[in-house]
Amino acid sequence: KNEVEQSPQNLTAQEGEFITINCSYSVGISALHWLQQHPGGGIVSLFMLSSGKKKHGRLIATINIQEKHSSLHITASHPRDSAVYICAVWSGGGADGLTFGKGTHLIIQP
Amino acid sequence: DAGVIQSPRHEVTEMGQEVTLRCKPISGHDYLFWYRQTMMRGLELLIYFNNNVPIDDSGMPEDRFSAKMPNASFSTLKIQPSEPRDSAVYFCASSPANGRETQYFGPGTRLLVL
């Protein structure tokens, strides 16, 4: 089973700062997801990556397949970005091929 | 579209009772996923369906859990009998043609088994 490590576990930053959240995994994958979970509990899928880079508004996600590493960047961070960011990887068929990281708790202070 | 709909939003029940959680996926989505989230274990994929057919239930914790999808617009996750350790938030998500594309999550059902 894939091992997924996220860092940092907790991050507090000031509004406007550039944020980077990292995700490393141990076994080759077919796809990687970045999820955002709001303080109220709702989950939003931000990106699905299998290679390269994707951008949506102030969010950028990159993946390096050779290094088994992905990063989620937030530019010009805002208090509404405060949430838990979760990395999830598919490394095979079946429900047990999907592994989640423990999440990064991000707080953006005004 | 209303998004993925789950019911009930909250459920409190006593140990031993049967619990049924319901999900209506986004129309046209071929994949449906059931997840469980707890403080101890985080998010876990329990089972997923493609075109109403269960593809893999290897994430289902034990025989007390069962899931069905009788048609493209409705799925249930049933726990019988329920136990206190089943207390968690259960999410349903749906996805268009390729299950590894973006998933759209429902608001979750918060289950407490006393």
Side-chain angles (χ1 to χ4, degrees):
Chain A
K1 192 171 173 69
N2 219 329
E3 293 184 6
V4 179
E5 295 286 337
Q6 283 188 239
S7 63
Q9 287 187 333
N10 298 283
L11 177 58
T12 300
Q14 294 298 120
E15 183 174 355
E17 288 189 36
F18 181 81
I19 303 299
T20 296
I21 298 171
N22 298 298
C23 175
S24 296
Y25 49 91
S26 59
V27 178
I29 64 171
S30 58
L32 181 146
H33 292 261
W34 281 104
L35 307 174
Q36 178 191 54
Q37 187 164 29
H38 295 285
I43 297 176
V44 174
S45 178
L46 299 175
F47 296 104
M48 192 286 295
L49 292 163
S50 55
S51 64
K53 179 169 82 172
K54 287 189 176 180
K55 183 177 188 293
H56 185 260
R58 295 180 294 105
L59 301 177
I60 303 166
T62 65
I63 188 168
N64 186 317
I65 297 296
Q66 287 73 31
E67 295 187 0
K68 297 186 178 62
H69 180 267
S70 175
S71 293
L72 177 67
H73 305 285
I74 305 174
T75 62
S77 59
H78 190 276
R80 64 176 175 266
D81 297 325
S82 299
V84 177
Y85 292 84
I86 302 169
C87 170
V89 300
W90 283 98
S91 53
D96 61 354
L98 179 62
T99 307
F100 291 88
K102 294 191 184 303
T104 294
H105 291 72
L106 175 65
I107 297 174
I108 302 297
Q109 295 178 335
Chain B
D1 200 316
V4 176
I5 300 172
Q6 290 187 247
S7 65
R9 293 292 306 274
H10 299 89
E11 177 82 25
V12 181
T13 191
E14 293 187 346
M15 183 174 65
Q17 296 298 306
E18 178 178 293
V19 175
T20 299
L21 311 180
R22 297 173 177 80
C23 175
K24 176 177 166 55
I26 293 173
S27 178
H29 282 191
D30 293 333
Y31 283 79
L32 183 139
F33 303 80
W34 280 103
Y35 295 92
R36 178 174 68 175
Q37 185 177 38
T38 61
M39 289 292 292
M40 289 294 293
R41 300 173 67 90
L43 269 168
E44 302 171 281
L45 175 61
L46 301 177
I47 185 172
Y48 68 99
F49 295 82
N50 179 20
N51 291 322
N52 314 338
V53 177
I55 300 302
D56 196 290
D57 63 356
S58 56
M60 297 282 261
E62 48 196 275
D63 292 344
R64 297 184 297 106
F65 286 69
S66 63
K68 294 182 180 179
M69 193 166 185
N71 57 62
S73 59
F74 184 65
S75 178
T76 59
L77 178 67
K78 188 174 294 186
I79 309 172
Q80 166 63 19
S82 59
E83 296 183 3
R85 60 194 167 118
D86 302 329
S87 299
V89 181
Y90 291 81
F91 289 98
C92 174
S94 70
S95 178
N98 185 331
R100 279 144 178 74
E101 293 299 325
T102 298
Q103 296 185 21
Y104 298 81
F105 284 78
T109 295
R110 192 172 296 272
L111 173 65
L112 178 60
V113 182
L114 302 174

